[in-house]
Amino acid sequence: MKHPTTDEELMDAVRDGSEDAYGTLFERYRAPLYAFSLRMTRDPEAAADAFQEAFLRVHRARATWSGHDGSFRAWLYRIATNSIRDRARANARRPEVLDAAPETSGQGSPTDRIALERALAAIPDPLREAFLLGAVAGLDHNEVAQALGISPDNARARISRARAALREQLEPS
């Protein structure tokens, strides 16, 4: 029997009861999903909670997984996005911007990263979600569309509008 290597094969194994496959997916997505959650919530504690909730939901929904519905990655980020939205609604307020930007790849100065975080906080949630799914999570337009439950054209438009809004926010006055 072939050892599962793709996300979809691993999730098929999880659906069939493999805790090892679940652990592999968890390790594979630990850093990128947490980074995405941190960028969305701008709060390390809320990001950790959203990350954990997303993986709990994956485990609970394992019996309903169908690889024919799209990529596992898009499905996971959709679950994470919904978890973050649910928490935000439960808190009935938008999280505040952190004083320092989350750790990034080391590109740009700390001042630039803080400016970017503030600009991200200033754009509407639907645009920020689409932008972060593409820029931070690395999803393509089709996966962004799947993760947000929108059309690929709408995903492209949101990402484009987000970029324009960020450019506007970051332009020197």
Side-chain angles (χ1 to χ4, degrees):
M1 181 174 180
K2 180 182 162 190
H3 183 69
T5 56
T6 68
D7 294 340
E8 290 73 22
E9 290 171 337
L10 287 166
M11 193 57 207
D12 287 342
V14 170
R15 182 191 57 220
D16 296 339
S18 173
E19 291 299 320
D20 288 341
Y22 181 77
T24 300
L25 284 170
F26 183 88
E27 288 303 317
R28 187 175 284 179
Y29 283 97
R30 177 194 309 237
L33 189 63
Y34 177 77
F36 170 75
S37 298
L38 184 58
R39 277 285 181 61
M40 286 292 294
T41 62
R42 296 172 309 278
D43 176 353
E45 188 175 318
D49 290 346
F51 167 83
Q52 290 175 355
E53 179 65 25
F55 264 95
L56 283 173
R57 288 182 183 187
V58 164
H59 196 268
R60 286 185 202 125
R62 68 189 179 279
T64 64
W65 162 253
S66 171
H68 303 290
D69 294 337
S71 76
F72 169 79
R73 183 169 71 158
W75 186 62
L76 174 63
Y77 280 94
R78 181 178 194 147
I79 290 170
T81 300
N82 288 339
S83 176
I84 291 165
R85 287 175 180 168
D86 292 348
R87 287 181 174 280
R89 278 191 294 271
N91 292 336
R93 64 176 177 82
R94 189 171 175 167
E96 296 176 15
V97 177
L98 294 176
D99 289 333
E103 200 56 40
T104 62
S105 63
Q107 296 176 346
S109 71
T111 303
D112 291 343
R113 289 193 306 264
I114 292 170
L116 177 59
E117 290 302 317
R118 289 189 173 143
L120 280 167
I123 66 175
D125 288 344
L127 301 183
R128 184 167 34 94
E129 290 170 352
F131 178 80
L132 290 175
L133 283 167
V136 174
L139 276 64
D140 64 33
H141 290 111
N142 291 326
E143 290 174 317
V144 170
Q146 184 184 349
L148 295 176
I150 58 177
S151 73
D153 288 340
N154 195 339
R156 273 189 280 285
R158 285 186 188 184
I159 292 169
S160 178
R161 288 195 314 262
R163 286 184 179 137
L166 288 171
R167 276 192 296 273
E168 185 177 310
Q169 290 284 328
L170 294 171
E171 281 181 357
S173 300

